Amino acid sequence: NLYAHGARNFWIHNTGPLGCLPETLEQFGTDPLDEVGCVIKQNRAAKYFNLQLQVMCSRLQYLYQDAKITYVDIFAIKYNLMVDYTTLGLGNRLESSGIVCGAQSFSSSVAAEMASV
């Protein structure tokens, strides 16, 4: 327990737009996509998780009033990178996806290889 050991400053990141990850698009790319090209169902699940995380952060802030709990909306930051890629000077959506997700392509063979490790 970090708080019990004296920690008083916490920076809690929510999850990013999971429906935009290359491996999600590879696996669920036939599912309905949003206007950016991300899997709607996966992003909806990420938003639901993030909402619950934000509520939990508020409860923790109430319980531990001497602590500073900062909730960081990584989902919005990363999703906006992909929505506004041209305004931000990125060449194309794939380039912004690579920045957001750390890769521009993902194949099932890579996933299988990673799972076997």
Side-chain angles (χ1 to χ4, degrees), residues 16-102:
L18 301 177
C20 304
L21 293 172
E23 60 266 27
T24 300
L25 293 169
E26 173 80 19
Q27 186 173 3
F28 301 101
T30 58
D31 288 1
L33 304 177
D34 65 12
E35 64 280 355
V36 178
C38 300
V39 180
I40 294 171
K41 186 191 266 186
Q42 300 294 327
N43 277 350
R44 190 176 298 140
K47 287 179 182 180
Y48 182 69
F49 171 84
N50 290 341
L51 178 63
Q52 292 185 35
L53 182 63
Q54 189 172 22
V55 168
M56 185 189 74
C57 288
S58 295
R59 287 181 185 158
L60 289 172
Q61 184 64 74
Y62 178 78
L63 290 172
Y64 302 103
Q65 294 185 7
D66 61 330
K68 178 62 180 160
I69 299 172
T70 303
Y71 175 83
V72 182
D73 190 358
I74 295 297
F75 186 102
I77 293 167
K78 289 184 174 185
Y79 195 79
N80 287 336
L81 274 174
M82 292 191 308
V83 169
D84 296 328
Y85 64 91
T86 54
T87 307
L88 298 168
L90 300 171
N92 57 51
R93 190 188 163 290
L94 281 179
E95 185 178 336
S96 66
S97 178
I99 291 168
V100 170
C101 303

